[in-house]
């Protein structure tokens, strides 16, 4: 079973090994796949963020949501749609019978269902 963990940024380690305490800030350039470091003397250095482009990084919650947001949205919408259909069907069945006992039976059935 895969575990969700924070992705380790290889570029951070490379830049820390190169410059140590002389780094003032670092940022991740996701488009280029690099980590950029701004040094104390005003210069800029960068390092690749992956050891190998074929390396599969561990999944995080954010990466799963970013990749599967359409699927998760469709499942959520389908669940709400199905719940609405079931609710509308129960209301329609309750309205079919002119007998008030049928409406009472359908509205109180859940109270007797769990023993």
């Amino acid at each position: 079973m895969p575990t969700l963990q924070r992705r380790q940024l290889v570029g951070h380690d490379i830049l820390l090994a190169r410059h140590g305490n002389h780094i003032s800030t670092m940022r991740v350039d996701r488009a280029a796949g690099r980590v950029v470091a701004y040094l104390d003397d005003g210069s800029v250095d960068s390092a690749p963020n992956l050891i190998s482009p074929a390396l599969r990084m561990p999944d995080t919650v954010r990466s799963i949501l970013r990749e599967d947001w359409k699927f998760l949205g469709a499942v959520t919408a389908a669940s709400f749609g199905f719940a609405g259909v079931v609710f509308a069907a129960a209301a329609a069945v309750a309205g079919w019978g002119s007998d008030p006992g049928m409406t009472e039976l359908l509205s109180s059935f859940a109270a007797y269902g769990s023993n």
Side-chain angles (χ1 to χ4, degrees), residues 2-71:
T3 59
L4 298 178
Q5 57 186 344
R6 185 179 181 278
R7 292 181 184 212
Q8 297 299 319
L9 301 176
V10 178
H12 283 149
D13 294 338
I14 294 170
L15 290 170
L16 283 171
R18 283 184 195 165
H19 304 289
N21 291 335
H22 299 289
I23 298 173
S24 59
T25 60
M26 281 196 273
R27 71 174 177 82
V28 178
D29 184 5
R30 295 194 191 284
R34 301 183 72 74
V35 176
V36 180
Y38 298 95
L39 305 176
D40 292 340
D41 62 357
S43 62
V44 178
D45 190 14
S46 66
N49 205 19
L50 292 176
I51 297 171
S52 167
L55 180 67
R56 171 93 170 116
M57 297 295 284
D59 289 329
T60 62
V61 173
R62 187 175 294 165
S63 70
I64 290 172
L65 290 176
R66 184 173 46 240
E67 293 170 4
D68 297 334
W69 69 271
K70 288 181 182 178
F71 173 73

Side-chain angles (χ1 to χ4, degrees), residues 74-90:
V75 168
T76 302
S79 299
F80 277 109
F82 181 71
V85 168
V86 169
F87 181 75

